[in-house]
Amino acid sequence: MFTGIITHIGTVSRIEKTGDTRMTVSAGFDMDSVAIGASIACSGCCLTVVDKGPGWFAVDVSAETLSKTNLSSWKEGTKINLERALKVGDELGGHIVSGHVDGLAELVSIAPEGDSHRLTLRPSPELVAFVAQKGSVTLDGISLTVNEVSAETFGVNIIEHTWNETTLSDRGPGDQLNMEVDMLARYVARLIDVRDLRNV
């Protein structure tokens, strides 16, 4: 589990095509404290550390993950948001994030709003129903509050700190962001589905 509070920005330093795709990430973590088999959220996608060294770690990415996320567009030099998994007793600063990406959201526009930036996004059609005004959403691993919703889009406000300390400032209209819906919304939708089936 994660919080959606980004602690580091890493850089994809190597991509190798084998049975799966191995990606090596340069990171500012103390890698002595990261175990092989540990989970790290890479722009919102929970990945397992399979190798490591001073200032870097490697993960294996399956074809399924590449098909459901924006990892297929990553290249050597791509900057990504990093968050290590929660430990018992850690502060929950964002919201509970699983690191299981639900789909993609297209960045439609970026507009300045005071010292902040207003982003409008168009999620995959199957995710629209899970987005609610003042609810939570995770974009490229970042825990955000939804400001407004329409039939096909939603908006979030990015404060200066988040803009500067994450990869959002590198993104532009047309880019695809990894999206994870609020876990509570997912379970509520499932309960409604089960209730409807029972009433058929």
Side-chain angles (χ1 to χ4, degrees):
M1 290 296 178
F2 306 91
T3 65
I5 304 299
I6 304 306
T7 57
H8 292 80
I9 294 179
T11 303
V12 178
S13 57
R14 188 175 182 185
I15 299 176
E16 303 169 82
K17 302 287 186 180
T18 55
D20 287 322
T21 299
R22 177 160 295 192
M23 296 187 178
T24 301
V25 178
S26 299
F29 297 139
D30 173 12
M31 294 309 300
D32 289 339
S33 66
V34 178
I36 298 294
S39 294
I40 295 178
C42 298
S43 285
C45 186
C46 178
L47 298 173
T48 301
V49 175
V50 297
D51 197 7
K52 66 172 188 170
W56 64 271
F57 66 90
V59 295
D60 286 337
V61 184
S62 69
E64 171 72 8
T65 298
L66 290 175
S67 72
K68 301 294 185 185
T69 68
N70 64 15
L71 275 67
S72 60
S73 68
W74 291 3
K75 301 175 177 64
E76 293 180 2
T78 296
K79 294 189 180 303
I80 60 175
N81 297 316
L82 300 176
E83 181 189 357
R84 292 182 60 181
L86 278 172
K87 297 177 182 176
V88 175
D90 282 352
E91 179 181 348
L92 186 61
H95 71 283
I96 295 176
V97 176
S98 70
H100 300 157
V101 174
D102 291 298
L104 295 169
E106 178 188 357
L107 180 53
V108 176
S109 65
I110 303 172
E113 193 168 278
D115 292 330
S116 301
H117 294 80
R118 178 59 60 102
L119 274 58
T120 301
L121 299 110
R122 181 183 295 109
S124 304
E126 67 274 12
L127 300 180
V128 172
F130 295 98
V131 182
Q133 188 174 10
K134 301 306 177 186
S136 297
V137 67
T138 307
L139 296 171
D140 271 0
I142 307 162
S143 172
L144 297 167
T145 299
V146 176
N147 292 110
E148 74 273 337
V149 296
S150 69
E152 295 183 350
T153 65
F154 67 93
V156 293
N157 188 69
I158 309 299
I159 63 171
E160 186 176 14
H161 173 82
T162 303
W163 185 256
N164 293 332
E165 299 298 324
T166 70
T167 61
L168 286 177
S169 57
D170 295 330
R171 303 294 181 244
D175 285 349
Q176 300 285 332
L177 278 60
N178 291 327
M179 178 173 168
E180 180 182 335
V181 302
D182 184 22
M183 197 175 297
L184 179 60
R186 185 186 296 128
Y187 283 110
V188 168
R190 176 59 180 158
L191 286 170
I192 292 171
D193 286 345
V194 169
R195 185 191 63 187
D196 289 346
L197 286 171
R198 288 176 178 171
N199 290 335
V200 171

